[in-house]
Amino acid sequence: MAADIISTVEFNHTGELLATGDKGGRVVIFQREQEVLVEEQTPDVVLGSILRVLKFSLPSLQSKNQVHRRGEYNVYSTFQSHEPEFDYLKSLEIEEKINKIRWLPQQNAAYFLLSTNDKTVKLWKVSERDKRPEGYNLKDEEGRLRDPATITTLRVPVLRPMDLMVEATPRRVFANAHTYHINSISVNSDYETYMSADDLRINLWNFEITNQSFNIVDIKPANMEELTEVITAAEFHPHHCNTFVYSSSKGTIRLCDMRASALCDRHTKFFEEPEDPSNRSFFSEIISSISDVKFSHSGRYIMTRDYLTVKVWDLNMENRPIETYQVHDYLRSKLCSLYENDCIFDKFECVWNGSDSVIMTGSYNNFFRMFDRNTKRDVTLEASRENSKPRAILKPRKVCVGGKRRKDEISVDSLDFSKKILHTAWHPSENIIAVAATNNLYIFQDKVN
């Protein structure tokens, strides 16, 4: 079903919870079990292990973390976040699909997360209840009000244990601020504000105020016929609450400082790689559009994903990226057919691991790619039911471009472009990754000894 297609994946700050949003407007939260329990495998969550593949990446995490490995991720809570709506003024349907989920750091026993569709951002509280009050004076056991004249004694209500219930309640609804479709939300490091970005504007919100937001970026021209680029992604700096970046469909990244002015129309830094004239083609502009931008955990680097590559930029160097990784360069000769089937407009995301030493992004044929920044080694893995039996070790995959194909290689002509991995997430401190392949969620981890 189309409604089951996963549209976003996000670990919380501890990695204990993993949230997914889908096209049907639902949010499903998975919780990591406290100890390993052998249970039947659920069809949509397949656990495997990426042992040798990830061995190259984080040697420091291999041995030290083996001792306190804990269990699998199981469904913790499911709730309907957004419903389909209709804009009567513009005669437009607003679909319920969840575009992004962002967790807030945990301050008490409850969890808070932001979820957004094309137009409306909601703040959800997810909390547990394992006790219920009994023995009210003015209400009977069914909850009906009693006649005060019949009350002759005063009772002290007590809390009785009950089966654990996980409740999701909307605490805030931030609506009516975006004319265009929201593509990004990002929580600020001050944890008081967040921003939401659409094609032409970025708004800054306070978590306590739902009826007002501040417009901090507006690239809409006076005459829409002069429109040459749109905002594709935006994110706050992980440590400096005044700094944020946004990327554009022209392949540029702008770093803005909110201390400079209230409206950040003039950027502080402008990152752009000069185009090689020899590579210029009809598709150059389309494939240079940035689909995702992410600050490293350290705050020193920015990672961007365009159609064919992942680039890492140093905040101190604007004229070119310090690293460029080819995700699927073998598709360069296929751009014509990818344009005809609209795949060239797919928006792939990219993620850092906890120590910023490895980056991961998706591709076609349910392939996803990992690049080790230190050793410069890379690997292609496949998320599919056929090769993801629980506890199985993922084998690296190779794509054959031309000439003679080896036995374990797959030809570029036989890649399935309907199977694409757009959304991935990496545990903040361990080698555990979540990969969304259409309507299946795969969770892989390093081999547990």
Side-chain angles (χ1 to χ4, degrees):
M1 266 176 67
D4 295 332
I5 293 172
I6 297 170
S7 53
T8 184
V9 188
E10 188 80 7
F11 278 104
N12 75 339
H13 291 70
T14 61
E16 292 300 300
L17 298 180
L18 171 67
T20 66
D22 65 23
K23 276 198 161 181
R26 290 182 300 267
V27 171
V28 180
I29 301 175
F30 299 88
Q31 184 184 44
R32 199 173 182 190
E33 294 300 318
Q34 295 304 309
E35 72 247 16
V36 178
L37 298 169
V38 180
E39 292 185 8
E40 279 186 23
Q41 172 199 341
T42 56
D44 280 4
V45 184
V46 186
L47 279 117
S49 93
I50 43 179
L51 163 69
R52 319 208 174 189
V53 180
L54 264 181
K55 271 269 161 85
F56 69 77
S57 60
L58 279 173
S60 58
L61 277 183
Q62 296 302 315
S63 51
K64 291 178 190 168
N65 283 350
Q66 298 297 342
V67 189
H68 51 266
R69 293 266 184 204
R70 292 214 304 282
E72 301 180 352
Y73 285 85
N74 291 314
V75 175
Y76 176 63
S77 174
T78 304
F79 59 93
Q80 188 73 31
S81 171
H82 287 70
E83 302 279 357
E85 294 175 58
F86 192 79
D87 185 332
Y88 294 99
L89 290 175
K90 295 180 179 168
S91 295
L92 283 176
E93 281 186 48
I94 302 166
E95 61 175 354
E96 64 273 37
K97 176 188 151 209
I98 308 294
N99 291 342
K100 285 285 184 288
I101 289 173
R102 290 291 178 264
W103 290 92
L104 275 70
Q106 194 177 358
Q107 309 288 355
N108 51 34
Y111 303 99
F112 288 86
L113 62 86
L114 285 172
S115 64
T116 184
N117 68 348
D118 284 341
K119 297 286 182 182
T120 306
V121 184
K122 294 184 182 182
L123 175 68
W124 289 89
K125 177 185 180 182
V126 181
S127 54
E128 295 182 356
R129 240 189 33 211
D130 61 355
K131 292 184 176 64
R132 68 166 182 266
E134 280 184 8
Y136 285 109
N137 289 288
L138 297 175
K139 284 193 284 191
D140 62 19
E141 299 308 322
E142 306 295 315
R144 292 187 296 265
L145 286 172
R146 292 165 64 184
D147 180 4
T150 63
I151 301 171
T152 54
T153 57
L154 193 63
R155 293 191 295 178
V156 178
V158 291
L159 289 171
R160 297 252 185 259
M162 59 177 262
D163 289 341
L164 179 70
M165 254 176 71
V166 181
E167 295 178 316
T169 48
R171 298 308 300 268
R172 304 273 188 279
V173 177
F174 306 90
N176 306 322
H178 285 278
T179 311
Y180 307 98
H181 291 178
I182 297 171
N183 55 47
S184 306
I185 48 174
S186 179
V187 178
N188 199 344
S189 58
D190 62 10
Y191 304 133
E192 284 186 27
T193 55
Y194 78 92
M195 69 176 172
S196 55
D198 66 24
D199 295 335
L200 297 178
R201 297 189 182 102
I202 300 176
N203 292 332
L204 181 70
W205 299 84
N206 187 298
F207 280 111
E208 299 300 320
I209 302 166
T210 59
N211 60 353
Q212 185 183 29
S213 65
F214 293 98
N215 179 228
I216 51 175
V217 171
D218 187 347
I219 65 165
K220 185 181 182 216
N223 179 5
M224 281 296 271
E225 287 176 10
E226 294 167 12
L227 183 69
T228 57
E229 64 179 333
V230 294
I231 298 167
T232 55
E235 190 176 61
F236 268 119
H237 191 283
H239 312 303
H240 303 312
C241 61
N242 52 282
T243 309
F244 67 93
V245 293
Y246 68 93
S247 58
S248 90
S249 55
K250 276 192 165 176
T252 62
I253 309 111
R254 290 171 175 85
L255 181 87
C256 298
D257 189 336
M258 291 192 289
R259 295 172 301 186
S261 66
L263 188 63
C264 300
D265 279 356
R266 282 202 293 276
H267 47 264
T268 310
K269 293 195 173 185
F270 182 74
F271 301 86
E272 182 179 28
E273 185 173 25
E275 190 187 17
D276 181 356
S278 62
N279 284 343
R280 181 93 189 132
S281 74
F282 171 75
F283 305 107
S284 294
E285 211 165 287
I286 303 172
I287 63 172
S288 66
S289 175
I290 292 172
S291 55
D292 196 17
V293 61
K294 292 268 170 59
F295 271 107
S296 61
H297 296 88
S298 66
R300 171 73 189 270
Y301 304 104
I302 305 169
M303 169 169 55
T304 59
R305 170 74 209 259
D306 58 39
Y307 191 65
L308 295 177
T309 66
V310 171
K311 292 171 183 168
V312 177
W313 303 76
D314 189 315
L315 282 189
N316 301 323
M317 192 168 83
E318 300 169 52
N319 59 343
R320 61 187 171 84
I322 54 167
E323 298 158 28
T324 300
Y325 301 98
Q326 300 296 334
V327 178
H328 37 217
D329 202 48
Y330 46 79
L331 295 182
R332 207 175 277 277
S333 59
K334 300 259 176 245
L335 292 177
C336 202
S337 54
L338 290 164
Y339 178 76
E340 285 168 4
N341 63 15
D342 279 352
C343 284
I344 202 167
F345 302 107
D346 285 335
K347 292 175 169 52
F348 292 95
E349 294 172 10
C350 52
V351 289
W352 301 88
N353 72 338
S355 65
D356 300 333
S357 61
V358 185
I359 54 187
M360 173 172 64
T361 191
S363 181
Y364 293 104
N365 208 65
N366 279 355
F367 287 172
F368 58 99
R369 303 269 283 137
M370 287 183 178
F371 303 94
D372 188 307
R373 298 180 59 211
N374 300 326
T375 64
K376 302 301 176 197
R377 292 172 65 185
D378 65 272
V379 70
T380 303
L381 301 170
E382 183 181 1
S384 66
R385 294 190 179 204
E386 292 74 47
N387 65 3
S388 296
K389 303 285 187 293
R391 308 283 168 257
I393 295 169
L394 288 189
K395 294 183 177 68
R397 305 300 305 265
K398 281 200 168 59
V399 177
C400 164
V401 181
K404 202 166 179 196
R405 186 170 68 87
R406 293 205 190 113
K407 186 171 70 122
D408 56 345
E409 290 183 337
I410 181 165
S411 162
V412 69
D413 295 316
S414 56
L415 293 174
D416 187 341
F417 292 106
S418 65
K419 293 178 177 174
K420 54 192 92 168
I421 290 176
L422 304 176
H423 314 287
T424 57
W426 201 309
H427 189 288
S429 57
E430 292 184 44
N431 275 345
I432 297 174
I433 59 169
V435 174
T438 325
N439 58 349
N440 292 315
L441 176 69
Y442 296 89
I443 300 173
F444 301 107
Q445 68 178 58
D446 254 347
K447 190 185 179 192
V448 182
N449 284 348

